[in-house]
Amino acid sequence: MIKNKKTNRNLAVEVKNVTKTYMLRHEKPTLIESLLYRSKNEKHVALKDISFSIFKGDRLGIIGSNGSGKTTLLKLLAGITKQQKGNIKMNGRVVSLIDLSAGFHPDLTGEENIFLNGLVIGMNKDEIESKKKSIVKFADIGKFIDAPLYTYSTGMQLRLGFSIAVHSDPDILLLDEGFAFGDEDFREKANKKISEYRRKKKTLIIVSHWLFELERNCNKILWLERGEIIEYGNKGLLNKYRKSFE
Amino acid sequence: MIFLFTLLYQKTAVQSFYSRWYSTVMFSYFSRYWFDFIWVMTLKEIKARYKRVLLGFLWAILNPVLQMLVIGFLFQFFIPVKIDNYFYFLFAGLLPWNFFSYTFSKCTPLMLNERALIQKAKFPREALVLSIVFSNLFHLLISLGLFIFLSLFMGYLSIFKIVILFLAVFWLVFFTIGISLLLSTLFVRYRDIKFIVQAVIPLWFYATPIIYTKSLLPNWIANLLQYNPMTGIIELFQFIFTNNCSAVSLESVIPGIIISFIVTVIGVYLFIKESQYFDDWL
């Protein structure tokens, strides 16, 4: 019993019997229609009875072909949407880098946007205030900080977004595919930050098609296909996955 | 004005009230983060609206003034309205009505307009609706401030009326939040809500005694109008700012209060239930 409790404390993510279904709609539903007659609802099961858990410090890569439920799983872990059945337990602060510029507003200045996006990510005001200088420095946007965001280049916006995200000091970091952006210099910085997370024993969850990236960053692999877990194991799974295409 | 608000907010008095409040109350949901989020989103709404507009806040006042002039001219010529200071009377009704109609019509398609944010991040979804309500409230308060200033010269105001004004604004905001939450939730699933709302706004305008008083109507219609919460709210505003205080009484506002309470409870309930699945429908 005691031992059980101890292992639970080391869990970063616990997913139990999670099922996520989406309503399939062929046309936009209208209130008038639904009042007049009951339409048949077709359901699409995106995740079917998924269970797995990862420990603190694990770096999980999620693989699978398109439509296998990778993004749905990531959204559930991030708390963007909710499962119909089952339980998800996340221990610690979760930060998702699904879109770095989600909280930005083009008419506001860089500084105002740091507050906006920082809150969207989950920091509170005092925390952002104390980290503001460091965020600006890491993003390397210099005097643009007082200019409205629509004057920024795409690269600058991404850099600012990434800088805010990494300063939020997450316990569990969720990354969607293609977080390698910006110029060579910045990519280096980003990779450095990720290996720093590894050293700090932070939990990392990456969804990607880019197996090379997973090989370098992950120690555990979850293979999804059609909403079900094919296999959950260590890096060796990547080779098996590669072979399945040949 | 923003500066003043920011200053107030950062004053420790407010913050200690804050921390005492949220640490003692069992509503752990309303955390410091929740308040910060609503605050920054509201500031964003206010700032973004006027960032690149020359006249700035003047628009908040200019709009109802222009409306008042147009309606006032028309109705004085076509329909003989026997109300003292008709323009002044109009303005008292138009201010709260504009706040109400702008807010809930803007909030209706809000989740779709903010879908980029909803699909990408986890945050308290109600902040989107509340930030619109509060930023519009900010404009209403500016206009009301000027209007109070004007009323002091007219000599209609008293301390008792100021107390009533607080209650009226509170009721207005309460009902606006309720209906905005309700409509924005329904819109996520039923996209024709937007057209229904667009059709209903002008009808609702005429079903509320803004450009007329209830005394002009047959009795049974006047009684029916009491079930429109906006009737009670607008009549309170007219009572406060003009000397035309025949219509409003305690019995006449109670049906409206009950209806707005029901609407708000349904709105909040549906929103809490549905908001976690918004992403699935956008």
Side-chain angles (χ1 to χ4, degrees):
Chain A
M1 197 63 193
I2 295 162
K3 202 184 171 191
N4 204 351
K5 250 188 183 166
K6 204 176 174 189
T7 47
N8 271 347
R9 209 180 299 149
N10 287 328
L11 284 180
V13 180
E14 205 177 352
V15 176
K16 255 190 196 158
N17 306 99
V18 165
T19 299
K20 174 78 189 165
T21 53
Y22 284 100
M23 217 79 100
L24 269 188
R25 299 183 307 283
H26 301 290
E27 276 166 49
K28 278 186 200 165
T30 65
L31 182 64
I32 292 173
E33 257 180 72
S34 64
L35 289 177
L36 290 179
Y37 53 86
R38 288 228 154 269
S39 56
K40 284 172 283 173
N41 285 325
E42 276 181 72
K43 278 183 181 169
H44 169 71
V45 182
L47 287 176
K48 211 187 281 169
D49 206 21
I50 297 275
S51 301
F52 68 91
S53 53
I54 55 179
F55 293 100
K56 284 185 180 155
D58 271 348
R59 298 170 312 279
L60 177 76
I62 303 175
I63 53 173
S65 49
N66 286 329
S68 56
K70 300 190 299 285
T71 308
T72 306
L73 182 57
L74 202 67
K75 275 188 169 177
L76 286 174
L77 293 177
I80 293 168
T81 183
K82 217 188 157 196
Q83 67 279 8
Q84 272 82 9
K85 275 183 214 151
N87 255 320
I88 294 180
K89 215 173 146 200
M90 311 285 282
N91 297 321
R93 174 185 269 181
V94 183
V95 168
S96 61
L97 301 193
I98 295 177
D99 188 343
L100 294 170
S101 52
F104 282 153
H105 191 289
D107 283 341
L108 300 181
T109 66
E111 191 181 338
E112 288 163 337
N113 269 303
I114 289 177
F115 277 95
L116 205 56
N117 210 0
L119 280 161
V120 166
I121 278 172
M123 287 190 272
N124 65 40
K125 267 186 83 191
D126 296 342
E127 205 181 339
I128 302 168
E129 188 70 55
S130 66
K131 287 171 180 169
K132 204 170 69 188
K133 265 191 186 154
S134 162
I135 289 173
V136 176
K137 202 177 161 212
F138 185 80
D140 194 21
I141 48 174
K143 59 184 192 296
F144 271 86
I145 190 64
D146 290 322
L149 202 79
Y150 68 87
T151 61
Y152 285 37
S153 70
T154 325
M156 284 164 78
Q157 287 190 27
L158 283 171
R159 256 154 38 206
L160 187 60
F162 185 78
S163 177
I164 297 166
V166 295
H167 277 85
S168 62
D169 194 28
D171 300 310
I172 303 168
L173 188 68
L174 309 178
L175 293 167
D176 205 359
E177 45 202 333
F179 63 92
F181 38 66
D183 54 19
E184 202 59 49
D185 198 33
F186 188 73
R187 206 146 49 207
E188 186 108 335
K189 250 182 176 175
N191 271 326
K192 231 186 237 167
K193 207 77 193 177
I194 285 173
S195 28
E196 191 188 311
Y197 278 139
R198 202 154 73 188
R199 256 184 288 119
K200 283 185 182 166
K201 297 262 179 222
K202 306 249 181 190
T203 312
L204 204 68
I205 299 176
I206 307 177
V207 163
S208 185
H209 283 293
W210 204 11
L211 298 184
F212 172 71
E213 207 172 271
L214 295 177
E215 191 120 49
R216 198 177 50 186
N217 287 320
C218 299
N219 65 342
K220 278 188 175 172
I221 301 291
L222 182 75
W223 183 2
L224 284 176
E225 220 55 79
R226 290 208 189 115
E228 287 174 279
I229 297 178
I230 297 281
E231 217 176 322
Y232 178 41
N234 54 23
K235 261 196 229 176
L237 217 81
L238 285 171
N239 284 325
K240 210 167 158 189
Y241 181 65
R242 264 193 209 105
K243 265 181 203 149
S244 73
F245 289 108
E246 283 159 10
Chain B
M1 205 70 184
I2 300 177
F3 181 71
L4 210 128
F5 271 57
T6 325
L7 213 80
L8 256 176
Y9 174 78
Q10 272 157 1
K11 272 269 150 49
T12 43
V14 180
Q15 273 182 352
S16 71
F17 163 74
Y18 236 48
S19 54
R20 219 180 315 144
W21 190 71
Y22 78 69
S23 59
T24 50
V25 178
M26 57 287 192
F27 292 150
S28 59
Y29 179 74
F30 297 107
S31 58
R32 175 69 189 284
Y33 169 74
W34 191 86
F35 285 103
D36 279 353
F37 199 89
I38 307 265
W39 176 254
V40 170
M41 288 293 277
T42 306
L43 280 187
K44 179 205 93 173
E45 277 304 318
I46 295 169
K47 280 185 192 162
R49 188 146 148 201
Y50 293 120
K51 205 86 203 199
R52 281 186 282 169
V53 180
L54 201 62
L55 279 171
F57 287 112
L58 214 55
W59 283 111
I61 303 142
L62 217 55
N63 212 328
V65 168
L66 289 174
Q67 231 178 330
M68 171 192 80
L69 289 177
V70 172
I71 299 174
F73 268 120
L74 277 178
F75 276 74
Q76 283 210 321
F77 289 129
F78 293 115
I79 305 161
V81 201
K82 281 169 274 165
I83 300 169
D84 296 349
N85 294 326
Y86 186 56
F87 284 94
Y88 192 73
F89 170 83
L90 266 182
F91 201 68
L94 281 174
L95 270 185
W97 172 261
N98 279 348
F99 164 77
F100 175 69
S101 63
Y102 283 162
T103 307
F104 89 90
S105 61
K106 195 175 176 188
C107 283
T108 304
L110 190 62
M111 299 303 155
L112 188 68
N113 295 342
E114 299 285 345
R115 95 206 298 176
L117 204 52
I118 290 172
Q119 287 175 336
K120 302 291 160 56
K122 180 199 180 185
F123 61 93
R125 310 297 199 209
E126 62 275 17
L128 295 172
V129 170
L130 291 180
S131 66
I132 301 281
V133 175
F134 290 145
S135 68
N136 284 344
L137 176 65
F138 174 72
H139 295 128
L140 176 71
L141 290 179
I142 292 177
S143 317
L144 276 181
L146 289 174
F147 203 41
I148 287 172
F149 193 66
L150 199 69
S151 306
L152 285 177
F153 289 108
M154 304 283 282
Y156 296 148
L157 272 181
S158 63
I159 294 190
F160 170 66
K161 282 185 169 181
I162 296 282
V163 175
I164 300 286
L165 178 64
F166 270 106
L167 294 176
V169 170
F170 181 79
W171 182 10
L172 176 64
V173 171
F174 180 79
F175 181 54
T176 310
I177 289 175
I179 200 164
S180 300
L181 286 174
L182 178 67
L183 290 172
S184 62
T185 309
L186 285 176
F187 177 79
V188 172
R189 289 213 186 188
Y190 309 111
R191 299 295 161 82
D192 56 341
I193 291 284
K194 193 177 164 187
F195 301 110
I196 296 172
V197 166
Q198 276 168 4
V200 161
I201 286 179
L203 296 181
W204 201 340
F205 178 77
Y206 289 108
T208 309
I210 298 166
I211 53 176
Y212 56 86
T213 60
K214 248 178 13 200
S215 54
L216 294 170
L217 300 172
N219 232 342
W220 67 275
I221 300 186
N223 286 336
L224 207 63
L225 280 191
Q226 286 313 143
Y227 290 92
N228 167 8
M230 285 313 284
T231 303
I233 294 169
I234 300 272
E235 278 177 351
L236 280 178
F237 274 88
Q238 288 162 349
F239 162 73
I240 292 156
F241 287 109
T242 69
N243 55 353
N244 197 310
C245 47
S246 53
V248 71
S249 67
L250 197 59
E251 302 99 76
S252 69
V253 291
I254 280 177
I257 290 179
I258 293 173
I259 297 279
S260 43
F261 195 74
I262 293 171
V263 168
T264 306
V265 167
I266 296 174
V268 170
Y269 171 76
L270 273 184
F271 192 89
I272 290 172
K273 206 171 137 241
E274 286 295 318
S275 61
Q276 43 196 352
Y277 299 110
F278 277 167
D279 174 61
D280 302 2
W281 296 85
L282 292 172

